[in-house]
Amino acid sequence: MAGTAVIKALVASLCLFSGASAWPSTSSKRQTLGADDIQKQALANAYKVLDGTLSDGSTNRKTTCNKTTVSIRKEYGDLTKEERLEYIRAVKCILAKPSKLPAGKYPGAVSRYDDFVVVHMNMTPSVHGTANFMHWHRYYIWAYETALKTECDFKGSQPYWNWGKYSDLTTSPIFNGDDWSLGGNGEYVKHVGMNMGRPIPAGPGGGCVNTGPFANTTIHLGPLSPTMDPALKIKANPRSDGYGDNPRCLRRDVNNFFTTQYLRPVDMASHITSNANIGTFQSTLQNDTPQKAAMHGAGHFSIWGDPGGDVYVSPAEPAFWLHHGQLDRHWWMWANYLEKEIKTRIAQYEGGTNWQNPNSPKGKPTDPQWLDVVTPVGTAGIQSNQLFSTTAGPFCYLYE
Ligand SMILES: *[C@@H]1O[C@H](CO)[C@@H](O)[C@H](O)[C@H]1NC(C)=O
Ligand SMILES: *[C@@H]1O[C@H](CO)[C@@H](O)[C@H](O)[C@H]1NC(C)=O
Ligand SMILES: [Cu+2]
């Protein structure tokens, strides 16, 4: 690989800064915003929007969404132990509820949780690398949070994983394997990494998750686009579309390869401050370059495993929702942190309608979005332009 030396040099130089929480300030007197500053500004502006002293251009805000009713999404490690247990309880509840999909059509949809996975598998080509990437996933995560609330009596808000927060992800409150985590890493098994145009090393897991609340979770759907070492002999799905029932353990390969290079607070801040329109914001978030893994994939491959490393089936990994929650937060920060830009940024919409096809028809803000059997009441076919603000249309939440 011609790029390997370049990557190594890049990694070596970037690692000098790992753990830093803001830009180094020595080289410039000009104040440069760090990720925490951006979060603070975005939240302050979002509250101004809620109390009517600032407009984000939304005309679809409900009067019932205000400062006292707004739901606050927090970082998983910032939840109290009781709040974490409540979230874990609700996720286990949805994993235990029966599917609402036709069994003959989707034999692998065993639980209500699996319904979300099937919908994602169906939609994958039209909601990644497309104009609606952020919008559809915002809607999808909110639908999951709504199902936790309405079908499992969940009392909290959807938590997220702040990519740059943990110097060692395997010992973070999300993956440390204690009773308040989303389960530990996969057990270590000897395996190789993969090649994404450059070599990605294997992580310290690779085997089944056997500690914490999601120990011994059974995955049924997929794999459809597996990325784990073939030598691990993960069973192929009995159907070529991946919808067959393929019971197997939840595997993870939680690693620090991506978080220490591409997902640090400085990476988040520079991505937000250096992309002024949604077209480049979304594409740089998703498209790897020879120098850099893009943040969306970097987050997925920080968890990796099966199904976590499979673009179609990844929502079957219980931590998926925390990673995509952060992705939604990242977009929210970008749209809200500059008071004068909010109106413009919230409504920007750019890109095609089918992945890897730049010639697919352009997406329009009026395009309806679909969630099939996981659609929350009253939102079927909702237009993308109803999904612009987190405190308008069907939504009423903020990030803290
Ligand atoms: C917020 O909305 C709720 C529900 O409609 C309402 O009872 C409350 O008075 C509102 N509060 C403010 C500060 O507007
Ligand atoms: C998970 O499965 C392993 C192997 O079957 C078993 O030893 C372990 O006790 C199980 N753990 C839990 C929490 O059920
Ligand atoms: Cu997705």
Side-chain angles (χ1 to χ4, degrees), residues 120 124 127-128 133 136-137 140 296 300 311 314-315 320 324:
H120 189 270
T124 294
V127 299
H128 299 94
F133 171 64
W136 186 85
H137 282 85
Y140 181 57
H296 168 240
H300 280 295
V311 62
S314 54
F320 169 93
H324 266 274

Side-chain angles (χ1 to χ4, degrees), residues 63-323:
T63 54
T64 50
C65 184
N66 60 46
K67 275 166 106 161
T68 42
T69 58
V70 70
S71 159
I72 306 294
R73 291 187 179 176
K74 293 184 185 165
E75 213 280 332
Y76 196 77
D78 291 338
L79 300 180
T80 64
K81 284 189 168 176
E82 290 69 27
E83 287 169 334
R84 285 180 230 171
L85 289 180
E86 168 61 3
Y87 182 68
I88 292 161
R89 179 200 64 74
V91 175
K92 287 192 160 189
C93 162
I94 206 108
L95 274 163
K97 294 238 171 197
S99 166
K100 294 184 181 176
L101 283 165
K105 204 169 172 195
Y106 303 104
V110 173
S111 71
R112 181 67 174 141
Y113 187 106
D114 292 326
D115 290 355
F116 283 86
V117 183
V118 167
V119 168
H120 189 270
M121 290 168 75
N122 265 326
M123 302 288 295
T124 294
S126 58
V127 299
H128 299 94
T130 46
N132 63 349
F133 171 64
M134 302 303 297
H135 310 75
W136 186 85
H137 282 85
R138 169 173 286 175
Y139 181 34
Y140 181 57
I141 298 158
W142 175 78
Y144 178 72
E145 182 187 34
T146 301
L148 294 179
K149 288 180 182 178
T150 58
E151 299 176 38
C152 285
D153 200 26
F154 176 46
K155 301 296 187 210
S157 298
Q158 176 60 45
Y160 66 90
W161 158 42
N162 185 352
W163 297 320
K165 184 171 173 180
Y166 305 107
S167 56
D168 180 5
L169 194 56
T170 65
T171 58
S172 70
I174 306 172
F175 294 114
N176 66 14
D178 72 15
D179 290 349
W180 303 274
S181 69
L182 297 186
N185 199 357
E187 171 180 46
Y188 174 70
V189 291
K190 195 164 177 281
H191 65 295
V192 299
M194 63 172 165
N195 200 308
M196 294 170 67
R198 62 185 176 281
I200 307 294
C208 302
V209 172
N210 56 21
T211 56
F214 295 95
N216 299 347
T217 295
T218 301
I219 304 299
H220 293 274
L221 291 152
L224 200 50
S225 178
T227 53
M228 291 301 283
D229 183 352
L232 294 173
K233 296 202 161 41
I234 296 170
K235 274 190 297 174
N237 196 276
R239 282 171 46 162
S240 61
D241 60 11
Y243 294 128
D245 189 12
N246 183 24
R248 62 198 192 280
C249 72
L250 165 68
R251 285 174 187 259
R252 282 181 184 150
D253 199 9
V254 179
N255 64 87
N256 298 318
F257 179 76
F258 298 93
T259 51
T260 53
Q261 302 174 63
Y262 311 117
L263 294 171
R264 300 159 306 160
V266 305
D267 301 310
M268 293 163 53
S270 82
H271 182 256
I272 288 174
T273 56
S274 62
N275 290 286
N277 73 71
I278 199 156
T280 61
F281 178 82
Q282 285 197 145
S283 61
T284 50
L285 201 52
Q286 293 172 91
N287 301 339
D288 295 334
T289 67
Q291 288 78 32
K292 237 176 150 169
M295 299 173 109
H296 168 240
H300 280 295
F301 288 115
S302 297
I303 305 166
W304 208 344
D306 168 47
D310 183 319
V311 62
Y312 292 88
V313 196
S314 54
E317 156 60 71
F320 169 93
W321 310 94
L322 275 66
H323 168 47

